[in-house]
Amino acid sequence: MRAGPSQEEIRRHNLGALLRSVHVSGAVSRAELTASLGLNRSTIGALTAELAAAGLVTEETPRDRGRAGRPSLVVRPESYQVYVLAFAIEADRLTAARVGLGGLILDRRETSRPPGEASPAEVVAPLAEFARQMARATPRHARLIGSAVATNPVVRGRNGLLRPGASGGGADTSRAPFASALTQALADALARTGSPGGAGRPPALVSRGCADLAALAEYTRGAATGRASVIYLHGDGGVDGSVITGGRQLTGQDGTGGQIGHMVVNPAGQPCGCGSRGCWETEIGEYALLSAAGRPANSGRTGVAAVINAASHGDTRAQAALHQVGEWLGFGVANLVTIFNPEMVLFGGTLRDVYLASTAQVGRRLTRAGSPERRSGLRLRTATLGEDGVLLGAAELAFERLLSDPLTDPAI
Ligand SMILES: [Zn+2]
């Protein structure tokens, strides 16, 4: 029989919980930490002192001294001292950011990429150059503690979308050729610029799908904060999704679960990049909307915005295209609600604006679907982290090792 956790294990767990709380809240008083973590004041004081000594948090006296008595010290993350590098390979752009502890974007780079398939070199070279530029602009004393890349995770396909690897939703794509090439390119870029600071070598790049990471960001500090049961739908060329149940992301047996965009909804429909036919993605993805509206099928997020704008100005073809996509969106959402009974369905990426343009339609489809009791308490919402949701999710993934055990991290 295993004994209970040791004092040391409890201490390390509490250090992680405290640092995570400060990372998510940005600035939090010792009194609030005492209440939220269920620890006494002296323990919070000792843990905070350890994290401060490690350069992870600072403490300061709050400016507002309106209330009587000694004010509770405010604990803040060392956002300018401790950072990760986050990268995203999306259908029509490449982005990179240096993100400080606390989720603060300190530096951000972006370039568009032509639609269509890309070789590893075509995505790796621009991202490595971004890493070099950001490293040069980083203060010498700042410490890099992790890096992560979000990838549009679908398989190589026929409809002109980026297909960087055959791994799906929650899969770790670190074995994909582009991920290992990017890992090497980052190491070279950072070594050449003399960055990072800190004691250890930069930790290995970790990688997951864009939808899973955008969902993680919304769950951590966006629209889904505090919700244990969420379905996140992400438009980025095609359609991907992430299912959170009981506070955990559904991954399936090998990490490829939750590929909502590839459930077949129309067996007589169009061929899909995954090799199947009539997937939900072929009815509600950017390609479907743009084709129905008579626009260039590879015009990406700009094209989607143009269709929605045209529809709002009375363009009947754009309106018909949006109506068609809205019907399929409603059918799929109704099915997902029936299966998962979530607290929230969240629309992100280009599906955010598509949903906003077809909210009433989706609502009607939901109402017509059975089991009204399954919809009680259900909220349909749009992602609140906007264009940077995927990058912020990649940053969360890169911070995870530090947050789960702060003082044993080799970079600290
Ligand atoms: Zn498919």
Side-chain angles (χ1 to χ4, degrees):
M1 200 176 88
R2 192 187 187 283
S6 67
Q7 286 297 317
E8 174 60 11
E9 285 170 329
I10 292 170
R11 176 182 148 274
R12 284 165 62 173
H13 168 82
N14 287 341
L15 281 167
L18 198 156
L19 185 60
R20 192 180 294 275
S21 188
V22 173
H23 169 66
V24 172
S25 305
V28 56
S29 72
R30 277 198 190 186
E32 288 166 318
L33 288 167
T34 303
S36 66
L37 298 179
L39 300 168
N40 64 42
R41 285 170 56 184
S42 64
T43 303
I44 291 290
L47 294 171
T48 306
E50 276 200 78
L51 293 174
L56 295 169
V57 302
T58 53
E59 287 191 283
E60 59 190 58
T61 308
R63 286 200 195 100
D64 177 15
R65 306 194 57 160
R67 282 185 302 171
R70 205 164 56 136
S72 179
L73 290 172
V74 169
V75 187
R76 290 180 192 280
E78 282 277 23
S79 301
Y80 296 94
Q81 310 293 330
V82 179
Y83 71 95
V84 295
L85 294 178
F87 303 91
I89 303 169
E90 295 175 84
D92 58 0
R93 65 178 185 173
L94 304 172
T95 51
R98 193 164 69 84
V99 182
L101 189 63
L104 185 66
I105 294 180
L106 302 167
D107 193 350
R108 185 187 186 284
R109 316 274 164 151
E110 174 173 341
T111 185
S112 59
R113 60 172 301 276
E117 295 176 1
S119 69
E122 285 171 289
V123 294
V124 167
L127 291 180
E129 178 54 28
F130 284 156
R132 256 190 299 277
Q133 292 169 5
M134 291 192 295
R136 277 189 219 112
T138 301
R140 301 292 302 178
H141 52 268
R143 289 177 293 173
L144 171 65
I145 56 115
S147 57
V149 57
T151 63
N152 183 327
V154 279
V155 291
R156 243 163 233 290
R158 285 164 283 186
N159 55 358
L161 305 177
L162 173 67
R163 310 285 176 178
S167 301
D172 180 342
T173 51
S174 56
R175 281 165 296 173
F178 81 92
S180 52
L182 182 56
T183 300
Q184 188 57 50
L186 286 183
D188 293 348
L190 297 175
R192 216 169 295 155
T193 48
S195 192
R201 279 159 18 108
L205 179 85
V206 284
S207 166
R208 282 179 75 183
C210 289
D212 265 347
L213 291 177
L216 176 63
E218 294 289 339
Y219 179 74
T220 305
R221 57 177 78 248
T225 304
R227 309 277 172 192
S229 178
V230 180
I231 292 172
Y232 174 76
L233 302 173
H234 188 72
D236 178 32
V239 172
D240 198 14
S242 186
V243 178
I244 297 171
T245 56
R248 287 177 171 269
Q249 278 181 319
L250 186 153
T251 57
Q253 59 169 322
D254 63 359
T256 61
Q259 293 192 47
I260 294 165
H262 295 285
M263 61 179 178
V264 175
V265 295
N266 183 6
Q270 298 297 312
C272 179
C274 73
S276 184
R277 179 180 287 275
C279 295
W280 199 23
E281 169 177 312
T282 67
E283 301 293 352
I284 66 165
E286 291 170 14
Y287 188 80
L289 178 69
L290 294 166
S291 302
R295 308 265 170 160
N298 283 329
S299 50
R301 69 192 71 221
T302 319
V304 171
V307 172
I308 292 168
N309 186 45
S312 72
H313 287 87
D315 181 324
T316 52
R317 190 165 182 189
Q319 287 172 341
L322 262 178
H323 183 82
Q324 180 185 320
V325 167
E327 283 296 281
W328 285 108
L329 186 60
F331 278 129
V333 168
N335 283 340
L336 291 169
V337 167
T338 302
I339 297 166
F340 292 104
N341 185 26
E343 296 170 75
M344 181 179 282
V345 179
L346 196 53
F347 301 85
T350 51
L351 275 181
R352 177 187 183 277
D353 290 340
V354 171
Y355 169 70
L356 288 174
S358 53
T359 305
Q361 229 181 321
V362 172
R364 275 197 299 278
R365 280 287 155 216
L366 263 174
T367 307
R368 282 182 211 161
S371 307
E373 68 278 3
R374 289 188 150 255
R375 298 192 299 274
S376 65
L378 171 68
R379 288 173 170 78
L380 272 58
R381 294 284 185 275
T382 52
T384 55
L385 298 174
E387 289 281 291
D388 288 326
V390 172
L391 272 178
L392 287 171
E396 292 304 328
L397 181 63
F399 275 122
E400 188 51 40
R401 193 181 63 165
L402 173 73
L403 297 177
S404 54
D405 198 354
L407 300 189
T408 59
D409 194 297
I412 294 305

